[in-house]
Every structure is written in structure tokens, then in C-alpha cells.
Amino acid sequence: MGVEDLMVADGPAHAGASTPGKDDARSSITRTTITPAPGSEAPAEAATAEAKRSWLDRLRPATHGELAAAQEPYGAASILRFTMATMLAILCLLTVGGAILMLLLWQQERASGVLTSQLDRTWDLFDMLRQIERWLALATIPVAVAWIAVATVNVRRGTGQRRSPIVAALSLPFGLLGIWIVGSEIVAEADDALGEGAGFVLQAIFIAVPLIMLERVTSAAEAKHRPLRVAAMISVCFLAQLQFLGGLSTIDQTSGSDEWGRLGAYMVIGGLLQVLGALAVNEAARSIEDGTQHRYTLRNRFGESLLAEAER
């Protein structure tokens, strides 16, 4: 046996060959498998499981304590919120325009008097503003109802908590209908302050109906409650101002010239209340949307069961 044969048999191993020490080290290494958080599924598996569910399983009511899988909220809520805020802003401008018109009429009467033709044109313009306000207010209601429905659906998708979008959405027209009926049948027909006060209390109760429903949605999204409550308080104040002081849609054209200044000042107050209310409504809606998105991000990142255990 030559020297080269001895070097091959007994010498150091060439590159890539294994030694007994390396074999022992490799045998001690264990494989590590990364698994999702407890109770959560991989996105592809969750989508596949959702697609395989039948429509009967999707309509099945959830049991107590059951959380649905987190799903991304719809972006239509922000579009509806922007539309609603724009319409409320236009309503504020209409009220302010009516107030300016009334104050100018009062100032003209004090300075040199108002001709009959000028008064007729002024009241025609006032009627046009009033009609625009009424139709725009009616058009704002379905937009607000649609936002409530979409926002509630987003809360269900983003948080997994069961909130009925139908009940939440119908609470607003139900409350407005109750306010209108009480105002026309009780407040308008009352002969004394006691009857008017009782009717106004009933109207405040109807305002609380959509407030309670939206409070549940806000709690599910873990959003701020203060903007929603401020919006409800401003709604009560604006309703009192509209019924007992006067507004663009309630001012009577037969009022004397000595009341024009007072009515103009009341409309300025109503315009300020509308501005504050529009800001509060927009902030409450944005808070619910942000809270829903935040909850969806947390549940999608950390898993359902982990967050459910942390909330206990």
C-alpha cells in the first residue's frame, strides 16, 4: 500500500465529507414548524373553508360566545359618511342663508321700510330655501340609514360580534317618525306649557332610540362614545330650538316686522347648532369606522382565540 493510499484511508476527510462529530450534531437538530395562533387559520385555509360553507350554514344563527372569522370591512362606509357630511353642511348653509335674509329684511325695515314688492320677493326666496332644506333633509335620511347598515355590517365582519344591521338601520327612521308624530299630534296641539313639555320629553325619548342602537355598535367596535352622545345632545337642543323658537322650516310669513330681528337671531342659533351637530355626527361615524378597522387588524394579525382569551 502506497503513501497516497494511506493518506486516502487515514488522512483528513476532503471537503463535503461527514465526520462522526458532525453526524452527532445533525442528529440532535430538530425541525421547527411555525403554526398560526391558537384558534386562527391561515388566510388561504380560511378562505377555502368559507367558500366550502353552504348558504344554510351561513344563515345559521350564531351560538352564545361564538366569534366569526375576521373579514376586511367594506370601504363604502367612508363614502357614505362623506356624502352625509356634505349634505349636513349644505343644510347648515341654508339655515345661515335664511338667517342672513331675515336679518337684512329686518334692517331694511328699520332703515327706510320695505315695499310690498320687496317683501313678496323676499318671502318667495325664503320659500325656495325652505323647500330645498326640506327635500335635502329627506334625502339625508336614507344616506344616514345606509351608512348605519354598512357600518354595522363592517363591525360584524371586523370584530366577529353579532350586531343586526337591520335593527340598527331602522332605529333612525323609527325615531324620526316618532318625533314627527309627537310634534304634530301633541306639541302642536298643546294649549299650555305642561303639554308642550310632556311632548318634548317624548320626543327626547325617541331620539334615544337610535342612540342606544348605535351605542351597541360603538361598543362592539371599541370606539369612542363621547362624539355619539354629544351628537344626541345637540339633536335635542336643535329640536327644542326648532319647535319653541323658530327655524327656516317653521317661520310663519305672517309674522310682523317687529319679530324679524328676533327670528333672524334664532335662526343664527339654529345654524350654529347644526354646525356643531354635523361635526359631532361626522366624528362619531369616523370613530366607529376607525375602531372597526383597528379591531379587524388586531384579529387578523394575532388570531381569534388569542384575542377572545385576552378579553375575558
Side-chain angles (χ1 to χ4, degrees):
M1 179 180 297
V3 176
E4 295 180 358
D5 297 333
L6 290 174
M7 290 179 63
V8 173
D10 300 332
H14 61 278
S18 61
T19 62
K22 290 184 179 180
D23 293 337
D24 294 339
R26 290 173 181 174
S27 61
S28 63
I29 296 176
T30 58
R31 292 182 178 270
T32 303
T33 303
I34 300 176
T35 58
S40 63
E41 297 178 305
E45 296 177 357
T48 304
E50 180 67 19
K52 291 181 178 179
R53 292 178 59 193
S54 63
W55 64 274
L56 290 176
D57 294 334
R58 296 178 184 180
L59 294 177
R60 179 182 57 84
T63 58
H64 179 71
E66 180 182 355
L67 289 177
Q71 297 177 342
E72 185 176 2
Y74 296 119
S78 59
I79 300 176
L80 290 172
R81 175 173 58 86
F82 176 78
T83 304
M84 180 173 57
T86 303
M87 299 174 78
L88 291 176
I90 297 176
L91 287 174
C92 298
L93 293 177
L94 290 173
T95 302
V96 173
I100 294 174
L101 187 64
M102 184 64 65
L103 291 176
L104 289 176
L105 186 64
W106 172 66
Q107 184 64 29
Q108 179 68 21
E109 174 66 21
R110 291 184 57 190
S112 58
V114 179
L115 299 177
T116 304
S117 59
Q118 295 176 338
L119 184 61
D120 293 339
R121 288 195 299 268
T122 302
W123 286 123
D124 290 340
L125 183 58
F126 203 85
D127 285 338
M128 184 183 67
L129 293 177
R130 179 183 300 169
Q131 292 296 327
I132 295 175
E133 183 198 41
R134 290 177 178 176
W135 284 109
L136 186 59
L138 290 176
T140 307
I141 296 176
V143 176
V145 170
W147 178 85
I148 294 175
V150 175
T152 307
V153 171
N154 283 343
V155 168
R156 294 184 59 172
R157 292 171 60 88
T159 67
Q161 299 190 29
R162 301 295 180 177
R163 295 292 184 267
S164 175
I166 298 177
V167 175
L170 292 181
S171 64
L172 180 62
F174 175 79
L176 293 177
L177 181 62
I179 292 172
W180 179 75
I181 293 176
V182 172
S184 61
E185 298 296 332
I186 298 180
V187 177
E189 300 296 333
D191 297 331
D192 53 0
L194 182 60
E196 293 180 352
F200 180 72
V201 171
L202 288 177
Q203 289 179 318
I205 293 175
F206 278 104
I207 291 178
V209 173
L211 173 63
I212 295 174
M213 294 295 103
L214 289 176
E215 282 278 356
R216 298 183 70 247
V217 176
T218 304
S219 299
E222 294 187 359
K224 295 182 294 185
H225 292 261
R226 182 174 298 177
L228 183 61
R229 295 169 183 174
V230 170
M233 292 178 60
I234 294 176
S235 300
V236 174
C237 295
F238 178 72
L239 180 62
Q241 185 269 338
L242 189 65
Q243 291 188 151
F244 302 125
L245 299 180
L248 180 60
S249 59
T250 59
I251 290 179
D252 189 3
Q253 296 183 6
T254 60
S255 58
S257 59
D258 55 337
E259 299 180 357
W260 292 346
R262 177 174 56 84
L263 293 176
Y266 289 159
M267 291 179 63
V268 171
I269 296 174
L272 293 176
L273 289 175
Q274 282 182 303
V275 171
L276 295 176
L279 293 175
V281 168
N282 184 70
E283 179 62 23
R286 188 183 63 83
S287 177
I288 294 176
E289 294 175 10
D290 292 345
T292 303
Q293 183 65 38
H294 179 66
R295 289 288 298 169
Y296 162 73
T297 302
L298 288 178
R299 297 181 70 224
N300 190 44
R301 180 175 301 176
F302 296 104
E304 318 293 339
S305 299
L306 185 62
L307 287 179
E309 186 67 25
E311 292 174 353
R312 292 178 182 176

